[in-house]
Amino acid sequence: MAPIAKLNDVVDVVTLKKSIGTNSNIQESGERVRLAARSGTYTKQTSGAAPTYVQANLIVLPSRYADDFRLLCRRNPVPCPLLAESEGIGKWNQLKSWIEGLTGDEMAKNVDLRHDFPKYMVYQDGVLTKSHCLNVEAEWTEDHVAFLIGCSYSFESALVAAGLVPAHMVHGRNVPMYRTSIPLAPAGAFRYSTYVVSMRPYRRKDIDRVRDITRPYVATHGEPIDWGWDAVTRLGIKDICRPEYGETPVTADGSPFAGSLGTGDEEIVPVFWGCGVTPQEAVRRAGLKGTVIGHAPGYMLVLDARDWNIILKS
């Protein structure tokens, strides 16, 4: 990954705060989205929800795998940037922050990890047994440890502020996500797994700006790991039109994104980021014993921390 650029060179935090604060249409907060999910009234994907509030992926593991997972995150910080974990074994209502300068309460104070994601996935012995369920209260045990992984939805507000609105946001869709052949560095029980990536189409001439804007968000995957049509082959993606997670890709005008569009600098090409669904892929590949819980891809936890908190402390 390229060196992190100076913050002021790529993201004007003051302007970003001002533009969000003066937008009368933006009334959501992280807590409001969590409470709505908890009550069952918010059940949709969260791209664009509560702009500038940090979003997080989830993986909940039997405690015997916790140390291995922390090591997995340290060895694979791009697809698995660790934001926080449950304060203790079995705790679902208090967080321990992994972001320097942010406490667990500053990350999210009023939180219930069993209910506050709009939808969940449940695995038993590495096999998916429940998909897109509304809560996991019945599955949660006193032996579980939860981990929150940074989500690329968190930098979408900065892209929007720069006029680089991701196509899936224009149409209220979930971002497409793909399995790849890029190996993860192994850690304990987590072996033989690969990256999952998210994809947003952009014109070639905009890619440098997209890279610059997202690069400081290292706590939520940072800049793209690859781009262009050749990247589909390099990453081992089977079919750009058939993502394993999320929704099929579209362009800004809503047409299917299935091949080369435009020419030269105007050509629209796929741009790929590390994705926080990677831990679920690792669980599946490792066949972990016991009950493992994850978020439904695209249905994130919206935190109290703001984008600029994460940028400034990354």
Side-chain angles (χ1 to χ4, degrees):
M1 186 172 177
I4 299 172
K6 292 181 180 179
L7 176 64
N8 292 337
D9 290 343
V10 292
V11 179
D12 186 337
V13 174
V14 174
T15 300
L16 182 59
K17 287 182 179 180
K18 186 180 296 184
S19 67
I20 296 299
T22 57
N23 187 339
S24 60
N25 293 324
I26 296 173
Q27 299 178 352
E28 291 179 328
S29 67
E31 184 177 25
R32 286 182 181 178
V33 176
R34 294 197 304 276
L35 292 176
R38 193 180 304 175
S39 69
T41 59
Y42 191 107
T43 59
K44 59 185 179 179
Q45 58 87 19
T46 55
S47 177
T52 77
Y53 286 84
V54 176
Q55 298 197 29
N57 303 268
L58 176 71
I59 197 76
V60 184
L61 302 167
S63 62
R64 63 185 177 275
Y65 298 119
D67 284 342
D68 287 351
F69 186 75
R70 294 183 190 103
L71 181 59
L72 184 77
C73 292
R74 286 197 296 272
R75 290 180 173 175
N76 301 277
V78 174
C80 304
L82 185 56
L83 293 178
E85 64 178 85
S86 48
E87 178 61 34
I89 298 174
K91 294 284 187 181
W92 45 261
N93 61 351
Q94 194 171 5
L95 299 177
K96 172 186 175 182
S97 173
W98 279 86
I99 300 298
E100 184 179 355
L102 280 182
T103 67
D105 280 351
E106 289 170 333
M107 193 70 76
K109 187 172 184 179
N110 181 1
V111 66
D112 184 337
L113 297 175
R114 308 165 304 169
H115 292 269
D116 289 358
F117 288 78
K119 292 182 181 178
Y120 295 83
M121 312 287 266
V122 179
Y123 299 82
Q124 189 67 40
D125 297 337
V127 177
L128 182 65
T129 56
K130 287 188 178 182
S131 177
H132 292 75
C133 50
L134 296 180
N135 70 76
V136 289
E137 185 169 358
E139 288 77 17
W140 192 283
T141 73
E142 293 184 357
D143 184 51
H144 272 131
V145 179
F147 295 92
L148 299 182
I149 303 298
C151 174
S152 60
Y153 284 173
S154 303
F155 57 58
E156 289 182 338
S157 294
L159 290 170
V160 170
L164 297 166
V165 184
H168 68 273
M169 292 186 72
V170 174
H171 300 283
R173 295 168 66 86
N174 201 346
V175 71
M177 294 161 271
Y178 304 86
R179 292 187 179 120
T180 75
S181 59
I182 306 302
L184 289 182
F190 297 95
R191 295 180 175 275
Y192 313 116
S193 191
T194 58
Y195 276 54
V196 174
V197 295
S198 64
M199 190 279 291
R200 296 161 180 83
Y202 279 104
R203 294 177 298 180
R204 283 193 180 277
K205 69 179 184 181
D206 292 329
I207 291 175
D208 283 346
R209 290 177 62 211
V210 169
R211 293 179 65 197
D212 287 344
I213 289 166
T214 59
R215 185 175 299 129
Y217 289 80
V218 293
T220 57
H221 303 299
E223 70 172 295
I225 64 169
D226 211 342
W227 53 88
W229 290 108
D230 289 347
V232 177
T233 301
R234 285 193 295 270
L235 295 173
I237 292 171
K238 293 180 179 179
D239 187 345
I240 196 74
C241 299
R242 300 181 66 182
E244 281 78 14
Y245 307 99
E247 295 185 73
T248 54
V250 296
T251 60
D253 66 5
S255 58
F257 183 61
S260 182
L261 297 169
T263 59
D265 285 348
E266 294 293 332
E267 182 186 12
I268 301 173
V269 300
V271 182
F272 298 97
W273 281 264
C275 177
V277 180
T278 298
Q280 293 189 50
E281 185 71 6
V283 165
R284 189 181 70 83
R285 295 286 188 95
L288 297 190
K289 298 300 181 183
T291 301
V292 173
I293 300 165
H295 67 293
Y299 297 75
M300 306 298 174
L301 182 71
V302 187
L303 302 173
D304 296 335
R306 308 299 289 272
D307 290 0
W308 43 83
N309 300 139
I310 296 297
I311 297 172
L312 294 173
K313 294 172 174 61
S314 294

